[in-house]
Amino acid sequence: MDIAMIGTGYVGLVSGTCFAESGNNITCVDIDQGKIDRLNEGVIPIYEPGLTEMVQRNHKAGRLHFTTDLESAVTKAKVVYLAVGTPQGDDGSANLSALWSVVAGIAPFINADTVVVTKSTVPVGTNKGIYDRLFELNGIHYRVASNPEFLKEGAAIHDFMYPDRVVVGVREEETKEILNELYSPFLRTDKPFLSMSPESAELTKYVANALLATKISFINEMANLCEKMGGDINDVRRGIGHDQRIGFSFLFPGVGYGGSCFPKDVRALASMSKANDLPPTILDAVDQVNDRQKFVLTQKVDQHFGGDLKGLRFAVWGLAFKPKTDDIREAPALVMIEQLLERGATVCVFDPEAVENVKMELGDKVEYAEKSMDALAGVDALAINTEWDVFRHPDFDAIKSTMKSPVIFDGRNLYNPVQLAGLGFTYYSIGRAMVKPSSDNA
């Protein structure tokens, strides 16, 4: 099937590449000529495990193309996917300016039987708005569908190739059949193809992300309560997670969620709720708890050092908002780094993939280490913000001998407090009591 994928950001590039992998002819379009040139050279603008190899393989096979020529891509396409960014506006709602620009751009070139599909995360009613706008421009009743994505950064290819479900919002049976055919290679294990109204599909994306964000904010709030009352959040998490009604997913305490989806989708859903005179009480609380959680680790730092950080040196491990990505949008690590700098500390950072993005954000405000151990030289403390696997089993003896003082602030609960105390570390984590370090090893 000939498909035009408008937008080569995270969603568009992953989706287009996975469709090409199943034998479709995909043309990815972007207005950034430099980005298109790099993609044609096999240079991928984002870090996503397995994506580079898959892009290069399908591009070489002639199934995956990159261009700035909107007309050539759209004219031959049976399906046109809209996968442009919908960033958060000043009022919390989604900014659709890029989407409307693309709709106007494709109108002169789409055929009467073309199916236009929104892959971008958009507010309820956008599907109808696209339909109305295309009819206004061309006088043709186009088939406009919604197909929200549910990709996790760091596992996006697996999520696309082996989805839990595929959700489409359609108004015509024929449109449903076309999209069902397109997705059939990915649903061979009897995962459901869920067809519904476009409005329901648009809402499904927001509601899914808001519920997952709610679980994260809830367990973080309970972790803070555990610390105050002498409980251990890991024990509590196990105690509730084995309840099949609850489960373990997204019940890991930490320093808050970030990224391109959860923060803006929670706020956008709250904005839609307010616009319909429904107070978004839970959604506002989820957002507020998450904002507070990004300060928890720095509060522990302040308490340990008596609030005076001037002249102190910190190492920060983990800059991306989650492991297996280089995405730093709304990353908790950046919040903590700014707090440390404001208090007069110096900071040396390390991340396996996100350093270049942080350099564009922070410049020379911090120092950058090429290896995790390099960041620890002479530091007064280490702060961990992202649970990369490479951080899970370090050489603690080497860490202790490299640091000025053996103090760790762990925002992802990677280590055993009793073990760290036995090795002579002062170790702070989330939702667990601190065990005093052994005097024999201090």
Side-chain angles (χ1 to χ4, degrees), residues 299-307 380 405 407 409 426 428 434:
Q299 290 169 357
K300 295 177 185 291
V301 170
D302 281 337
Q303 291 169 4
H304 178 84
F305 290 105
D380 295 279
S405 55
V407 181
F409 298 91
T426 300
Y428 297 88
M434 194 189 81

Side-chain angles (χ1 to χ4, degrees), residues 124-386:
V124 178
T126 303
N127 176 283
K128 178 64 163 55
I130 294 171
Y131 173 89
D132 291 342
R133 181 60 175 152
L134 289 174
F135 181 76
E136 177 187 329
L137 292 170
N138 288 358
I140 297 175
H141 294 284
Y142 290 101
R143 289 170 291 179
V144 181
S146 296
N147 176 211
E149 54 84 17
F150 302 98
L151 307 178
K152 299 188 296 293
E153 291 191 41
I157 291 175
H158 181 273
D159 288 348
F160 196 101
M161 304 294 280
Y162 305 97
D164 292 330
R165 79 292 199 195
V166 170
V167 173
V168 298
V170 299
R171 302 191 191 280
E172 312 86 8
E173 184 66 24
E174 185 178 358
T175 305
K176 173 185 171 182
E177 292 174 359
I178 291 171
L179 294 179
N180 197 358
E181 176 189 351
L182 184 59
Y183 276 104
S184 59
F186 311 110
L187 299 173
R188 289 178 295 173
T189 56
D190 291 329
K191 295 296 183 178
F193 179 85
L194 304 176
S195 174
M196 58 190 70
S197 72
E199 291 78 14
S200 293
E202 289 166 336
L203 266 171
T204 297
K205 166 67 174 181
Y206 282 110
V207 172
N209 279 353
L211 182 56
L212 296 175
T214 299
K215 293 185 73 174
I216 294 172
S217 282
F218 177 81
I219 200 65
N220 281 335
E221 195 159 64
M222 294 305 100
N224 297 337
L225 184 62
C226 279
E227 280 192 43
K228 293 290 187 182
M229 304 193 71
D232 186 315
I233 191 60
N234 277 355
D235 292 336
V236 173
R237 183 181 63 83
R238 290 195 295 270
I240 65 173
H242 284 288
D243 187 325
Q244 293 184 8
R245 297 168 300 175
I246 298 172
F248 285 99
S249 296
F250 290 83
L251 285 184
F252 291 93
V255 287
Y257 58 76
S260 63
C261 292
F262 285 6
K264 77 178 183 68
D265 288 356
V266 167
R267 294 164 192 156
L269 192 59
S271 178
M272 284 185 264
S273 185
K274 292 173 185 175
N276 285 278
D277 297 322
L278 294 171
T281 307
I282 292 177
L283 294 171
D284 282 347
V286 168
D287 194 36
Q288 291 164 10
V289 167
N290 191 61
D291 283 345
R292 286 202 307 268
Q293 198 68 17
K294 292 182 179 181
F295 290 83
V296 165
L297 218 55
T298 311
Q299 290 169 357
K300 295 177 185 291
V301 170
D302 281 337
Q303 291 169 4
H304 178 84
F305 290 105
D308 184 7
L309 307 186
K310 291 181 180 178
L312 298 182
R313 182 175 175 81
F314 290 82
V316 175
W317 280 2
L319 305 172
F321 85 94
K322 62 179 289 187
K324 298 182 181 180
T325 181
D326 60 355
D327 194 341
I328 61 169
R329 286 173 286 186
E330 303 221 25
L334 298 189
V335 176
M336 183 180 196
I337 290 169
E338 291 289 359
Q339 293 166 19
L340 294 176
L341 294 175
E342 288 174 2
R343 288 161 169 77
T346 58
V347 179
C348 185
V349 303
F350 171 78
D351 187 281
E353 295 295 337
V355 166
E356 292 305 315
N357 287 338
V358 172
K359 285 181 179 179
M360 290 188 287
E361 182 84 12
L362 297 180
D364 60 2
K365 293 166 68 175
V366 300
E367 299 173 26
Y368 303 92
E370 293 187 5
K371 298 178 181 179
S372 57
M373 290 298 296
D374 293 345
L376 301 179
V379 300
D380 295 279
L382 163 65
I384 302 173
N385 281 271
T386 314

